[in-house]
Amino acid sequence: RRVTLPTPQFVSDTYDTLTMLSIGRTLSARRAATAEDHAALRRLVAEMEESVSSKDAEAYRQLSQTFLSRVRQRCTNRQLLALSDDFEQYRQWLTNVYLKKKPTGQVETLRRQRVSLGEHREIARAFAENDLPALVHVLSVHIAVQRDRVLEQMAILPAESDG
């Protein structure tokens, strides 16, 4: 068996591609979205706000996943969905290797959730108002935050294992 270690270039390329696919998938879904979809996104953002206020990190994580599913649910482009799913597997692999094992203090978790909540709020607004430039921007920023965290941990972990 061969063990593959991702390089920073692989991480950057993966997240860049994931960003383009996510934007395409969201824009495709946006064209078919209904008023109920917009209302559901607003309700999810309100629930996410409550989970941040109550410091319930697990509820926030689950609501964030539900939000993502709701934003993308109306995309019916099978080729785009297949490519997105492939790159989602890479993303999950990278986050499992570099982010899941890193303990985060409650203050840092809350800070990240507040930033993420602002991004989700803006995604919901731009999605409902068909503000495509804002939607593209906030999706790009939202994905770049995770990419940067993976790259940061990637730089730290080899140094920790050398000692």
Side-chain angles (χ1 to χ4, degrees):
R1 287 182 92 181
R2 287 178 66 181
V3 175
T4 301
L5 296 175
T7 63
Q9 186 63 51
F10 174 83
V11 171
S12 292
D13 290 349
T14 297
Y15 276 91
D16 287 348
T17 303
L18 186 62
T19 298
M20 290 181 269
L21 293 169
S22 293
I23 289 168
R25 190 171 174 180
T26 303
L27 294 179
S28 176
R30 169 62 194 95
R31 286 194 299 268
T34 65
E36 174 52 35
D37 294 325
H38 303 156
L41 290 174
R42 286 190 298 274
R43 283 191 302 273
L44 283 166
V45 168
E47 291 177 38
M48 292 168 84
E49 288 170 347
E50 179 56 37
S51 71
V52 170
S53 295
S54 64
K55 298 178 180 161
D56 188 344
E58 181 56 25
Y60 185 85
R61 187 191 65 74
Q62 290 176 358
L63 289 163
S64 181
Q65 289 301 107
T66 302
F67 182 95
L68 179 62
S69 296
R70 187 68 188 226
V71 164
R72 295 176 172 178
Q73 77 177 0
R74 301 260 181 220
C75 177
T76 57
N77 182 321
R78 289 184 185 177
Q79 292 181 22
L80 184 55
L81 291 170
L83 287 169
S84 295
D85 289 346
D86 287 346
F87 276 85
E88 178 59 20
Q89 290 176 7
Y90 285 125
R91 189 199 65 77
Q92 287 177 354
W93 173 55
L94 292 167
T95 60
N96 284 334
V97 169
Y98 293 104
L99 300 181
K100 298 289 185 198
K101 296 176 184 165
K102 180 185 181 274
T104 325
Q106 187 176 18
V107 171
E108 179 62 14
T109 298
L110 192 56
R111 185 195 68 75
R112 285 187 184 147
Q113 286 176 346
R114 286 183 178 139
V115 169
S116 174
L117 177 60
E119 292 163 355
H120 284 89
R121 190 180 296 117
E122 179 61 11
I123 290 168
R125 184 206 62 76
F127 191 86
E129 295 176 11
N130 202 28
D131 184 348
L132 300 183
L135 190 56
V136 167
H137 174 75
V138 72
L139 287 169
S140 299
V141 167
H142 188 67
I143 294 167
V145 167
Q146 188 177 90
R147 179 206 60 213
D148 292 348
R149 287 181 56 220
V150 168
L151 289 170
E152 176 184 302
Q153 287 305 301
M154 182 182 252
I156 292 170
L157 287 177
E160 289 178 352
S161 63
D162 289 345

